[in-house]
Amino acid sequence: MTAVTFRLDATDGTARAGTLTLPHGAVETPAFMPVGTQGTVRALSPLDLEAIGTGMVLANTYHLHVRPGEEIVVALGGLHRFMAWRRPILTDSGGFQVFSLEGFRRVDDDGVEFQSHVDGARRRLTPERAVEIQWALGSDVAMALDHVVPGGADATLAASAMHRTTRWLRRALARHATLAAEQPGRQTLWPIVQGAAHRELRTAHAREVLEVADWSGVAIGGLAVGEPKPVMYGILELLEPELPRQRPRYLMGVGFPEDLLASVARGVDLFDCVAPTRNGRNGSAYTPDGPVNIRNAAHRRDDAPLDATCDCETCRTYSRGYLRHLFVAEELLGLRLLSLHNVRFLIRLASDARRQIRAGSFDPWHRQWMDRYNPRRNRET
Amino acid sequence: MTAVTFRLDATDGTARAGTLTLPHGAVETPAFMPVGTQGTVRALSPLDLEAIGTGMVLANTYHLHVRPGEEIVVALGGLHRFMAWRRPILTDSGGFQVFSLEGFRRVDDDGVEFQSHVDGARRRLTPERAVEIQWALGSDVAMALDHVVPGGADATLAASAMHRTTRWLRRALARHATLAAEQPGRQTLWPIVQGAAHRELRTAHAREVLEVADWSGVAIGGLAVGEPKPVMYGILELLEPELPRQRPRYLMGVGFPEDLLASVARGVDLFDCVAPTRNGRNGSAYTPDGPVNIRNAAHRRDDAPLDATCDCETCRTYSRGYLRHLFVAEELLGLRLLSLHNVRFLIRLASDARRQIRAGSFDPWHRQWMDRYNPRRNRET
């Protein structure tokens, strides 16, 4: 028995609308997952997230392992009960975090040793441990541990890390299969396609990964890490025909509104990013006319909502002038209200894209949307 | 026409249950008002406040005058629209804040000159200005400017400040009457009884103040500023028979759960205090068994709610273990969830007191409640 299915509801060129069914419910794609790093989407409650139509959230395996520790999460009823989130959760593998940490880190074929950012203690992560931790957490989708290299890594380093990622993937799958034998359909495991910015490695790795198993979904890692946009778009176009049509594709760490739409156009179904909450806490809000800095003095006596087209509590309730006041006066409510709006903006963007795909009008809509969101860039390209 | 009435629904000894009707709605008393210093109750939204049964909030005239300035609040539709709070608002006079400020301050019979904590600019507050600012804000209840002295002030200083407060009160009333003539029933003005810890001054000031006008409510200021509890209780007992039965009594700056009940027992109807939100942000939560520090390691794997008797979102949704995690991991959601619970705790306490008063069982209930909340102190007294 597997509880995980993906149904392709419609396509429009390479853009896709689907329904991903997971143990804790169904998610309509394209979909954006807000990030709950430490078991909470910063400044937002589960009720807030439900109110703005969040279908699925991401939580960070590394962070939850280091604090409070998965044994505490288990004692408190598993990750869903712990963070009071009833719908699907995807956990990352911890790989990205471990390889992004400042300070000590040593990687070999067995796994990676690193220093906890909380207490400085040395810890080890292996493909098996990453699977075990995520199994303990009880997320719907677990990610296999990958060896992450910097975006600009040369072909030798990128190839070696990528082949190691494939070897780790086989071990992760074996461990996951043993655990899942006891409780089938509790959780599914997805691989991560790496290869940095090297096109030949990307194609090779996609093929390697897909030879290992018939995955219920495939992630694309190592993009949106600072490379020029055309490089990312090019790799997505390259991978699109390589990836199984009937499986969801998850682009890790994306992103900004314009990147989300550009990636939907290139066949991506799932996204996650800290940007909407992080930018929100910095006073930057997405609007159909581009980002707005709410601290700007221009908003001082502006009675208009942040985004007149938005249906979130922030836009239905407060003026820009009040939101500016909250930020200038350093009030906590401001952090929450802008985070709420920004996440709603991306969720609505994904669901608008879905509607346009189903109507066969994604391309012209996408062009029009970009034109309004960022007229200058649009004229330049 | 006056929109402000107070109906005494029941009494039980000196404890009172009433209904205070204000321009923006009715408030059942005893009632606790959370404090929205800068036009927001820290970490909570108006919807949160409504969900936990908040009848009325307090906002700080001094803070809103300094930032964003009442002219901005007016441009954004007045204080209710500005902070999206539909129910009654009481604004303090600014006196307490000005006299509590660090740094420059000069008081004479005309008013008080002080330095803004935001930009260091010299500003002047007079009884007339305090009334005008609050009229501009559009709160339901405005407070007259008082000359606040330290809790331990000697009789000479306390008497002089108190007589000045009465002179200011006459000027405030005159200005308020002029404004209210244009728009009767928009706002009501309440006086503040001062006199520090001097019993003879307290009685004298209550009589002075009540000679000035037939106020729709009376505030008691200058208590809960660090004096021993018996001093505060003694002054409340002294004032109780001096104050008109048919008018609400508002004890400023109170307070902690035990002080709220002790004051209800002594005939007080309305309260405000920053403690529930401030303590909440510090990780301290009220429970029927006394305050709990949620950071305590004892809560690490505790699956129980913060307060099993509480109906707030925090207690209905999350374990102590999760709340502890939020505080240890310094997550914003923790600040909000404990603030929400603490405010709900005081609102429920006031409404439980009301029910007991109406049933004629306030005294035994109060004793039992104290016994559970703080058994040690109870045995000592």
Side-chain angles (χ1 to χ4, degrees):
Chain A
M1 175 191 112
T2 170
V4 179
T5 61
F6 181 71
R7 188 186 69 216
L8 211 51
D9 298 319
T11 57
D12 185 4
T14 44
R16 305 139 48 89
T19 304
L20 171 63
T21 304
L22 293 165
H24 285 84
V27 180
E28 299 197 326
T29 63
F32 174 77
M33 298 181 278
V35 178
T37 303
Q38 305 191 98
T40 164
V41 176
R42 210 150 279 165
L44 300 179
S45 76
L47 289 180
D48 293 338
L49 294 169
E50 281 195 24
I52 57 173
T54 308
M56 186 169 180
V57 303
L58 179 143
N60 285 115
T61 298
Y62 164 80
H63 282 99
L64 291 168
H65 168 63
V66 166
R67 184 174 58 198
E70 62 275 15
E71 71 287 359
I72 295 288
V73 176
V74 169
L76 296 171
L79 186 54
H80 283 86
R81 162 71 192 116
F82 180 66
M83 63 187 285
W85 178 248
R86 293 175 289 192
R87 299 182 183 176
I89 301 175
L90 180 147
T91 41
D92 63 3
S93 64
F96 181 78
Q97 254 83 26
V98 166
F99 288 99
S100 313
L101 279 180
E102 301 286 323
F104 173 81
R105 175 194 331 124
R106 186 167 52 204
V107 61
D108 58 29
D109 245 25
D110 177 55
V112 52
E113 202 179 338
F114 63 95
Q115 209 158 8
S116 151
H117 76 289
V118 169
D119 60 5
R122 293 262 168 116
R123 287 163 184 261
R124 242 194 123 59
L125 200 59
T126 63
E128 290 83 0
R129 278 294 291 136
V131 158
E132 287 160 4
I133 294 168
Q134 293 177 83
W135 184 263
L137 293 174
S139 54
D140 296 70
V141 179
M143 302 302 302
L145 186 67
D146 51 345
H147 180 180
V148 179
V149 294
D154 65 31
T156 314
L157 173 59
S160 130
M162 167 198 128
H163 292 307
R164 174 173 286 148
T165 296
T166 309
R167 290 192 297 276
W168 285 1
L169 179 60
R170 292 181 203 279
R171 288 164 52 193
L173 177 62
R175 187 72 192 109
H176 188 264
T178 312
L179 293 167
E182 309 266 304
Q183 217 177 325
R186 178 179 191 244
Q187 184 181 65
T188 191
L189 179 72
W190 289 0
I192 302 173
V193 174
Q194 291 289 358
H198 303 281
R199 297 172 60 86
E200 67 292 355
L201 295 183
R202 285 284 176 178
T203 311
H205 199 225
R207 292 176 187 176
E208 264 185 44
V209 154
L210 292 167
E211 271 166 24
V212 174
D214 177 20
W215 308 101
S216 67
V218 179
I220 304 165
L223 290 180
V225 291
E227 76 282 0
K229 301 265 158 127
V231 171
M232 176 168 103
Y233 298 162
I235 288 174
L236 292 179
E237 288 162 15
L238 182 76
L239 288 177
E240 201 284 324
E242 299 289 336
L243 300 174
R245 254 176 76 82
Q246 303 298 335
R247 295 289 180 270
R249 298 100 175 247
Y250 159 38
L251 178 56
M252 306 181 85
V254 168
F256 295 108
E258 63 273 33
D259 294 342
L260 189 145
L261 287 189
S263 306
V264 166
R266 290 160 177 87
V268 177
D269 306 297
L270 272 177
F271 304 89
D272 81 279
C273 193
V274 295
T277 44
R278 178 175 294 165
N279 292 350
R281 294 197 305 281
N282 289 333
S284 174
Y286 304 140
T287 83
D289 301 301
V292 154
N293 183 346
I294 199 64
R295 294 175 197 271
N296 199 304
H299 305 302
R300 238 165 91 85
R301 46 180 78 228
D302 189 348
D303 197 32
L306 198 48
D307 171 359
T309 73
C310 183
D311 57 5
C312 81
E313 182 192 328
T314 306
C315 294
R316 278 186 290 111
T317 315
Y318 307 95
S319 62
R320 289 186 174 203
Y322 181 67
L323 296 171
R324 175 179 190 270
H325 168 66
L326 292 179
F327 271 86
V328 171
E330 299 183 352
E331 281 287 352
L332 290 166
L333 185 60
L335 311 181
R336 165 175 165 193
L337 294 179
L338 257 65
S339 299
L340 186 81
H341 167 71
N342 281 351
V343 173
R344 175 61 187 152
F345 189 89
L346 285 182
I347 284 172
R348 205 158 60 100
L349 191 61
S351 110
D352 285 353
R354 177 183 167 86
R355 201 169 49 249
Q356 298 294 340
I357 292 164
R358 292 176 70 107
S361 51
F362 177 78
D363 258 10
W365 171 80
H366 180 195
R367 212 159 327 168
Q368 210 169 18
W369 191 96
M370 279 301 300
D371 218 46
R372 180 169 174 192
Y373 188 75
N374 198 341
R376 178 140 38 108
R377 194 226 312 262
N378 230 49
R379 271 198 298 277
E380 280 169 2
T381 54
Chain B
M1 175 192 110
T2 171
V4 179
T5 61
F6 180 71
R7 190 186 66 218
L8 212 50
D9 298 319
T11 56
D12 185 3
T14 45
R16 304 139 48 90
T19 304
L20 172 63
T21 304
L22 292 164
H24 286 84
V27 180
E28 298 197 327
T29 64
F32 174 78
M33 298 181 279
V35 178
T37 302
Q38 305 192 99
T40 164
V41 176
R42 212 150 278 165
L44 300 179
S45 76
L47 289 180
D48 293 337
L49 293 170
E50 281 195 24
I52 57 173
T54 308
M56 185 168 179
V57 303
L58 180 144
N60 285 115
T61 298
Y62 164 79
H63 283 99
L64 290 169
H65 167 62
V66 166
R67 184 173 60 196
E70 62 276 14
E71 71 287 358
I72 294 287
V73 176
V74 169
L76 296 171
L79 187 54
H80 283 86
R81 162 72 193 117
F82 180 65
M83 63 187 285
W85 178 249
R86 292 175 289 191
R87 299 182 184 177
I89 301 174
L90 180 147
T91 41
D92 63 3
S93 65
F96 181 78
Q97 254 82 26
V98 166
F99 288 100
S100 314
L101 279 180
E102 302 284 323
F104 173 81
R105 176 193 331 123
R106 186 168 50 206
V107 59
D108 58 28
D109 244 26
D110 176 56
V112 53
E113 201 178 341
F114 62 95
Q115 208 157 10
S116 151
H117 75 290
V118 169
D119 59 6
R122 293 260 169 116
R123 286 163 184 261
R124 242 194 123 62
L125 200 58
T126 63
E128 290 83 0
R129 278 296 290 138
V131 159
E132 286 159 4
I133 295 167
Q134 294 177 84
W135 184 263
L137 293 173
S139 54
D140 296 70
V141 179
M143 302 303 301
L145 185 66
D146 51 346
H147 180 181
V148 180
V149 293
D154 65 31
T156 313
L157 175 59
S160 129
M162 167 197 127
H163 292 307
R164 173 173 287 149
T165 297
T166 311
R167 290 193 296 276
W168 285 0
L169 179 60
R170 293 180 201 277
R171 288 165 53 193
L173 176 63
R175 186 73 192 107
H176 188 265
T178 311
L179 293 167
E182 308 266 303
Q183 217 177 327
R186 178 178 190 241
Q187 185 181 65
T188 190
L189 179 72
W190 288 1
I192 303 173
V193 173
Q194 291 288 359
H198 304 281
R199 296 172 60 87
E200 67 293 355
L201 296 183
R202 285 285 175 178
T203 312
H205 200 224
R207 292 177 185 174
E208 264 186 46
V209 155
L210 293 167
E211 269 166 26
V212 174
D214 177 20
W215 308 102
S216 67
V218 178
I220 304 165
L223 290 181
V225 291
E227 75 284 359
K229 300 266 160 131
V231 170
M232 177 168 102
Y233 298 162
I235 288 175
L236 292 179
E237 288 162 16
L238 183 75
L239 289 177
E240 202 284 324
E242 299 289 336
L243 300 174
R245 253 175 77 83
Q246 303 297 335
R247 294 291 179 269
R249 297 100 175 247
Y250 159 36
L251 178 55
M252 306 183 86
V254 167
F256 296 108
E258 64 273 32
D259 294 342
L260 189 144
L261 287 190
S263 307
V264 166
R266 290 162 176 86
V268 177
D269 307 296
L270 272 177
F271 304 88
D272 81 280
C273 193
V274 296
T277 43
R278 179 175 293 164
N279 292 350
R281 294 197 307 280
N282 290 332
S284 174
Y286 304 139
T287 83
D289 301 300
V292 153
N293 183 345
I294 199 64
R295 293 176 198 269
N296 199 303
H299 306 302
R300 237 165 91 85
R301 47 180 77 229
D302 189 347
D303 197 31
L306 198 48
D307 172 358
T309 73
C310 183
D311 57 4
C312 81
E313 182 191 330
T314 305
C315 293
R316 279 187 289 109
T317 316
Y318 307 95
S319 62
R320 289 185 175 204
Y322 181 68
L323 296 171
R324 175 179 190 270
H325 168 67
L326 292 179
F327 272 86
V328 171
E330 297 183 352
E331 281 286 353
L332 290 167
L333 185 59
L335 310 182
R336 165 175 164 192
L337 294 179
L338 257 64
S339 299
L340 186 79
H341 167 71
N342 281 352
V343 173
R344 175 59 186 151
F345 189 88
L346 285 182
I347 284 173
R348 205 158 58 101
L349 192 61
S351 108
D352 285 353
R354 176 181 168 86
R355 202 169 48 249
Q356 298 293 340
I357 292 164
R358 291 175 69 107
S361 51
F362 178 78
D363 257 12
W365 171 80
H366 180 195
R367 215 161 323 171
Q368 209 169 19
W369 191 95
M370 279 300 301
D371 218 46
R372 179 169 175 192
Y373 188 75
N374 199 340
R376 179 141 38 108
R377 195 227 310 264
N378 230 48
R379 270 198 298 277
E380 281 170 357
T381 54

